[in-house]
Amino acid sequence: MATVTTTIGVGDTHDSDINIASSSGSGPYTVTVDSTSGAVVGDALYDEGGPPSKHLILSIVDGTTLTTATNPSAEGMATAEVKRYYSGSTPLTDWEAGLDASIYSEFDNASGVVYNDGLLDETVTINGGSGVGLTAITLTVAEGERHDGTEGTGATIKRTGTGDVLVCSSSVTTNIEWLEIDGNGNSDSELVRCTTAINRLSQLIIHDSNGTSANGIEIANVNANILNCFVYDITCTATGSARCAGLDVIAGGSARTYNILNNTVHDITNNSGSGDAFCIGVSDSGGNKDLKNNIATDPSGTSSGTIQCYSDSSYTSVDSTNNLASDTSASGTDSLDSKTSGNQYASNAAPYDLHLKAGADAIDAGTDLAASPSGVEIDIDGFSRHADSSYDPWDCGAHELQSATGLGIPIAAYHHFHHNLNP
């Protein structure tokens, strides 16, 4: 079993020309070039010495040596290009279509790494990987290319069209992390929708969906961990009974397990006739479920349906603690009700910034969740809540307010400090 990394980017912004001096070995091949500058693991080496062919870069050995999965030309000084393995107008779609390609073997983990070469504008359904027998699929963002917890600062899918943006329906366990997904005011459906085999959604910024059916994240009938995400500015305009939620979980049976931990959900609006509006909605029908350390604030709308921070479903089988609400719907022990959103966030209106500010009620109001599920301690900025004992108890929400003394930077700036840790 191996992790096979491929890079994903927009257009030709990463192109660079190199010369191949020689290649040797087999699976992987050692390739000597004039310079590896600009190449990263997961890029494609496009050999133009004969018929053009694409070779996956597996490692960068040194400044003039790399390894590839297949054999490029060794005939003299062959000209080659280095670029993202998947690039162009639909790189995410092309990456997904290749999940059963020959670059993978049975039991591999497929890691698609997005680079912030430009805005992505596409919808993608992840449903491959079972044909070749993958163990896991991860869609992530390269370190140094990730957002800092505010929109427009990292790799982003920004839609100009409508419909579900990112759908997870593979039978292979799938992880989605570090992306910003911007509905651009017109997605008219779910920004993230998962129906099978999700393991983790984490460190996502999900926002600005507006239409007859609008949700930030919808989890339908699957096990899932939803960790350290910002979800905000979701508006439903249907005329019927459509439900609008920032984060919506349909449990679907006693065997389901999910963890909704350390998320911040704000400004969910339903202007439909009779639909509900929930920041965090849970349709509970049994199972093993945790709802902890979340912040939910300012649901609103003209609908005659229920409008509140947390859904009014029975939480009889949910372990719910340390949640904060701007109304009185925070359930469970050590939860906080009737807390004003303006006292929690750097900015509770456009331009939104859901980092906690000094004096927020959410500070130290959470509970230490240790390190299970994996990555739960890594906040929206990439900061580990286990950095030292001063961060215990944890803050509620996706952001852990860091010590100005520990960072040595001004209070106005320290919530943007990005450690770039890889969970």
Side-chain angles (χ1 to χ4, degrees), residues 55-350:
H55 309 278
L56 179 65
I57 297 177
L58 299 176
S59 69
I60 308 298
V61 179
D62 56 39
T64 58
T65 310
L66 50 82
T67 66
T68 58
T70 50
N71 190 17
S73 172
E75 298 177 3
M77 295 292 287
T79 301
E81 289 184 312
V82 173
K83 59 175 67 179
R84 305 295 181 215
Y85 198 85
Y86 297 103
S87 61
S89 60
T90 57
L92 286 172
T93 302
D94 296 341
W95 164 76
E96 194 287 327
L99 288 174
D100 287 301
S102 59
I103 59 173
Y104 303 109
S105 300
E106 188 177 12
F107 306 122
D108 279 349
N109 297 323
S111 178
V113 180
V114 181
Y115 280 77
N116 189 22
D117 298 333
L119 290 174
L120 298 159
D121 181 7
E122 57 183 308
T123 63
V124 60
T125 297
I126 302 172
N127 59 12
S130 60
V132 73
L134 293 179
T135 297
I137 299 167
T138 298
L139 182 61
T140 187
V141 176
E143 294 188 42
E145 308 277 312
R146 297 171 178 172
H147 60 72
D148 65 5
T150 55
E151 59 185 82
T153 59
T156 302
I157 304 173
K158 186 170 185 176
R159 289 291 292 135
T160 58
T162 60
D164 296 345
V165 176
L166 199 160
V167 178
C168 307
S169 60
S170 175
S171 60
V172 178
T173 297
T174 303
N175 307 299
I176 311 294
E177 57 188 26
W178 293 113
L179 279 167
E180 176 190 343
I181 302 178
D182 180 354
N184 201 23
N186 62 354
S187 76
D188 202 25
S189 200
E190 282 72 36
L191 296 183
V192 178
R193 184 170 185 266
C194 302
T195 58
T196 55
I198 283 298
N199 179 46
R200 186 180 71 252
L201 302 175
S202 62
Q203 290 88 24
L204 301 174
I205 302 177
I206 307 292
H207 65 97
D208 203 13
S209 179
N210 187 334
T212 57
S213 175
N215 287 291
I217 298 173
E218 182 182 270
I219 304 298
N221 306 322
V222 295
N223 301 335
N225 299 310
I226 308 172
L227 317 172
N228 300 291
C229 295
F230 280 169
V231 183
Y232 58 90
D233 193 15
I234 307 295
T235 300
C236 184
T237 57
T239 57
S241 58
R243 169 166 161 160
C244 185
L247 196 164
D248 201 13
V249 177
I250 303 169
S254 59
R256 302 300 183 189
T257 298
Y258 63 78
N259 298 288
I260 304 174
L261 308 173
N262 287 107
N263 300 286
T264 301
V265 185
H266 173 68
D267 194 8
I268 309 303
T269 303
N270 196 339
N271 291 324
S272 72
S274 59
D276 300 331
F278 300 129
C279 294
I280 298 178
V282 178
S283 298
D284 175 22
S285 57
N288 181 19
K289 305 168 179 63
D290 280 357
L291 183 72
K292 297 178 178 178
N293 292 359
N294 299 286
I295 299 176
T297 52
D298 294 359
S300 63
T302 60
S303 171
S304 62
T306 302
I307 297 176
Q308 57 190 47
C309 292
Y310 297 90
S311 71
D312 56 359
S313 300
S314 170
Y315 286 131
T316 55
S317 64
V318 176
D319 187 359
S320 180
T321 70
N322 299 88
N323 299 296
L324 183 149
S326 59
D327 58 17
T328 58
S329 64
S331 65
T333 59
D334 296 317
S335 291
L336 300 175
D337 280 329
S338 302
K339 301 303 179 183
T340 302
S341 66
N343 294 337
Q344 313 309 316
Y345 309 131
S347 174
N348 68 344

Side-chain angles (χ1 to χ4, degrees), residues 367-385:
T367 185
D368 189 332
L369 299 174
S372 180
S374 177
V376 69
E377 75 279 10
I378 306 300
D379 85 344
I380 191 74
D381 289 352
F383 175 73
S384 174
R385 296 177 171 93

